Amino acid sequence: MKVENTTTIKGEILLGIIFALELYALPVQFYLLLKGSEFTFFSAAVRFFSFFTILTNSIVFICGAILFFGGKSKLNSFFRKCTTLTAITVYILIVGIVFNLLLRSIVDLKGHHLIVSEIFHTVVPTLFFFYWLFFVSPEKISFKVILFWLVYPIIYIIYTLFHGILTNFYPYPFIDVTKLGFKTAIVNGAFVLIAFVVLSVILISISKIRTKRI
């Protein structure tokens, strides 16, 4: 029992660190966007949440908040499910993988911009993966759930393309229709979805293996 309690406490501490990082980084990033720009608060909010990075880190923040303060609510039960936490892990890992493989070399960030970027793209994805791997009770997850997990990124890609057509703003260069053309942007989006599927299969497989060992 003492071992279980110690493990739980370590998990809560790690989750608390992740929550604290998001609590710092999300408001600071919004402030940096709003500061010195011509955006109104509303237009800044639309631009802010047009980034998959921000949306996904917000999900991590909400997850942490509910796990800490949700009590015995249905939301708490939902976010404590291995399936839910595995899906969030896939999403936040994609954030880190895409940035570090495709975008890091083309951005030049300094000061607070650099700090919050590292939190969003490197620190939180790594810590949340460790939280999932070591402190979330594994379950046998069906590969069929991947279809449901894909709803979020598919909706995001569709929104981004239509929003870009209306505003000429694309948050990521690999889906910039104005520079790449619609066909190439769609193909790039499809590759990102494939990455989601591959990573989902890997994490579900890990969960299945851990379940068998237990």
Side-chain angles (χ1 to χ4, degrees):
M1 185 62 69
K2 289 183 179 179
V3 175
E4 290 182 0
N5 289 338
T6 302
T7 301
T8 300
I9 291 172
K10 289 180 179 179
E12 293 295 314
I13 291 173
L14 181 55
L15 187 62
I17 293 172
I18 295 170
F19 178 75
L21 287 169
E22 296 286 24
L23 187 61
Y24 161 78
L26 286 167
V28 168
Q29 183 64 71
F30 184 74
Y31 170 76
L32 293 173
L33 176 63
L34 196 59
K35 179 184 177 182
S37 69
E38 298 180 355
F39 291 120
T40 64
F41 185 88
F42 177 76
S43 60
V46 172
R47 178 64 59 90
F48 186 67
F49 288 108
S50 292
F51 289 87
F52 189 82
T53 293
I54 298 299
L55 287 172
T56 307
N57 276 275
S58 297
I59 291 173
V60 171
F61 172 75
I62 292 169
C63 175
I66 291 174
L67 293 183
F68 276 123
F69 310 113
K72 297 181 179 180
S73 66
K74 291 182 179 180
L75 273 178
N76 190 300
S77 298
F78 172 76
F79 278 100
R80 285 196 182 277
K81 290 181 178 179
C82 179
T83 303
T84 304
L85 289 168
T86 305
I88 295 174
T89 304
V90 170
Y91 299 148
I92 197 64
L93 283 178
I94 285 292
V95 168
I97 291 169
V98 170
F99 177 83
N100 285 286
L101 289 182
L102 302 179
L103 304 176
R104 180 176 288 278
S105 61
I106 64 175
V107 296
D108 182 21
L109 302 174
K110 297 179 181 179
H112 286 294
H113 288 282
L114 177 60
I115 293 172
V116 296
S117 177
E118 290 302 322
I119 290 173
F120 288 148
H121 299 112
T122 304
V123 181
V124 167
T126 301
L127 293 182
F128 201 85
F129 174 71
F130 285 150
Y131 174 74
W132 173 82
L133 185 62
F134 295 112
F135 302 108
V136 175
S137 298
E139 296 176 2
K140 289 184 178 179
I141 304 172
S142 171
F143 288 112
K144 294 179 181 179
V145 300
I146 295 175
L147 295 175
F148 295 98
W149 293 359
L150 284 175
V151 171
Y152 168 43
I154 288 173
I155 290 176
Y156 174 78
I157 290 173
I158 292 173
Y159 163 79
T160 299
L161 292 174
F162 278 99
H163 182 251
I165 292 172
L166 295 175
T167 64
N168 205 34
F169 168 73
Y170 297 90
Y172 301 105
F174 52 84
I175 52 173
D176 190 336
V177 172
T178 57
K179 294 181 179 180
L180 302 175
F182 193 79
K183 182 179 179 180
T184 302
I186 289 292
V187 170
N188 289 342
F191 277 118
V192 173
L193 291 178
I194 291 172
F196 270 104
V197 173
V198 172
L199 189 57
S200 297
V201 169
I202 292 172
L203 264 61
I204 289 175
S205 298
I206 292 173
S207 186
K208 287 178 179 291
I209 293 171
R210 291 179 63 211
T211 302
K212 289 180 180 179
R213 288 180 177 177
I214 293 175

